[in-house]
């Protein structure tokens, strides 16, 4: 069974940092691009970032460019999102998803709350 | 950036009814459009890609149509498990893959 499991969310103060992880199983991880999508409380979906299968190509929404960094470890079947200089408006559930730009399989998400 | 507009924001429907959801793009996205379903507290699920191709395991009662700027998701006979929010996403001008604001299908 294909599975994606996010972790690393939590409460962080404005200006702080957080690193999200997404552990994958059930498919050949290194053959798929991966994405992060977020959803603010009670709101719609917002694409955040994507990375190619090899990790050599990375892409970001303007709202997070320069603050967030996407990466992956194909030896450990894990996707990461390093989030720096966090703002209140970054508060959301963060989903990892397999493939890009069509998001074929989604994880259950991890909640990030930015508040003092 | 392409803006995706979905209508209506909320749709009240009885089980068994036919449902039509609309998605409009601010400029042409060809057929590079996907639909996702999201139930409360759950992750989204891919329903349709390429405007009209059902994803693996998606029942035949779900169908997508359209191209250019106007798209439709149709549920031929609404089942109880179909009450959810539905989002369209364009990926013609990517990044970013912009989403519509969603349509919530609720029980009438």
């Amino acid at each position: 069974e294909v599975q994606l499991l996010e972790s690393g969310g939590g409460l962080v103060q404005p200006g702080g940092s957080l690193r999200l992880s997404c552990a994958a199983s059930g498919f050949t991880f290194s053959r798929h691009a991966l994405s992060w999508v977020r959803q603010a409380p009670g709101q719609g979906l917002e694409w955040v970032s994507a990375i190619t299968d090899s990790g050599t190509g990375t892409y970001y929404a303007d709202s997070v460019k320069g603050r967030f960094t996407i990466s992956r470890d194909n030896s450990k079947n894990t996707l990461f999102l390093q989030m720096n200089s966090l703002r209140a408006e970054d508060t959301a559930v963060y989903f990892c998803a397999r493939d890009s730009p069509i998001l074929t399989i989604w994880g259950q998400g991890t909640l990030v709350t930015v508040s003092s | 950036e392409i803006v995706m507009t979905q209508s209506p924001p909320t749709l009240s429907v009885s089980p068994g009814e036919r449902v039509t959801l609309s998605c409009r793009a601010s400029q042409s996205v060809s057929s590079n459009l996907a639909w996702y379903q999201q139930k409360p507290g759950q992750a989204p699920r891919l329903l349709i890609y390429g405007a009209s191709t059902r994803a693996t395991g998606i029942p035949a009662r779900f169908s997508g149509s359209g191209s250019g700027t106007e798209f439709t998701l149709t549920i031929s006979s609404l089942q109880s498990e179909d009450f959810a929010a539905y989002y369209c996403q364009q990926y013609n001008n990517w990044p970013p893959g912009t989403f519509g604001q969603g349509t919530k299908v609720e029980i009438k």
Side-chain angles (χ1 to χ4, degrees):
Chain A
E1 181 188 4
V2 174
Q3 283 194 333
L4 297 168
L5 184 61
E6 301 92 338
S7 61
L11 175 63
V12 61
Q13 292 189 338
S17 298
L18 214 54
R19 189 193 199 202
L20 305 184
S21 299
C22 172
S25 60
F27 64 97
T28 305
F29 185 78
S30 61
R31 293 184 182 176
H32 291 264
L34 298 162
S35 307
W36 288 98
V37 176
R38 67 184 180 184
Q39 185 170 38
Q43 302 302 309
L45 302 169
E46 180 188 14
W47 176 83
V48 173
S49 183
I51 188 168
T52 57
D53 52 0
S54 64
T56 56
T58 57
Y59 309 89
Y60 299 93
D62 287 345
S63 58
V64 307
K65 199 172 294 182
R67 301 187 298 123
F68 290 12
T69 302
I70 190 171
S71 62
R72 63 191 293 164
D73 185 338
N74 283 353
S75 68
K76 296 182 178 179
N77 290 0
T78 305
L79 171 71
F80 303 101
L81 186 67
Q82 177 67 43
M83 304 186 296
N84 299 330
S85 303
L86 283 161
R87 307 166 179 167
E89 55 265 34
D90 295 318
T91 294
V93 174
Y94 285 73
F95 298 99
C96 65
R98 197 187 75 174
D99 298 309
S100 174
I102 303 168
L103 307 165
T104 58
I105 304 290
W106 298 60
Q108 286 302 304
T110 187
L111 175 63
V112 172
T113 303
V114 184
S115 175
S116 55
Chain B
E1 180 177 304
I2 295 178
V3 176
M4 306 301 293
T5 303
Q6 292 185 242
S7 59
T10 305
L11 198 56
S12 296
V13 186
S14 299
E17 285 189 17
R18 181 183 180 88
V19 174
T20 301
L21 309 181
S22 295
C23 175
R24 175 177 294 178
S26 59
Q27 64 188 76
S28 177
V29 298
S30 186
S31 294
N32 295 313
L33 184 107
W35 290 93
Y36 301 87
Q37 176 195 65
Q38 187 181 30
K39 298 178 183 179
Q42 295 188 19
R45 175 175 71 147
L46 175 67
L47 296 177
I48 301 283
Y49 62 94
S52 61
T53 302
R54 277 189 303 276
T56 303
I58 301 304
R61 65 180 182 272
F62 291 92
S63 63
S65 63
S67 66
T69 62
E70 300 284 343
F71 300 89
T72 299
L73 175 69
T74 301
I75 310 172
S76 60
S77 177
L78 198 72
Q79 304 299 300
S80 57
E81 60 267 31
D82 301 334
F83 290 98
Y86 293 84
Y87 295 91
C88 63
Q89 178 214 14
Q90 72 81 22
Y91 51 92
N92 190 63
N93 285 29
W94 185 97
T98 46
F99 292 91
Q101 78 278 22
T103 291
K104 182 181 178 181
V105 177
E106 61 180 27
I107 300 174
K108 188 173 185 179

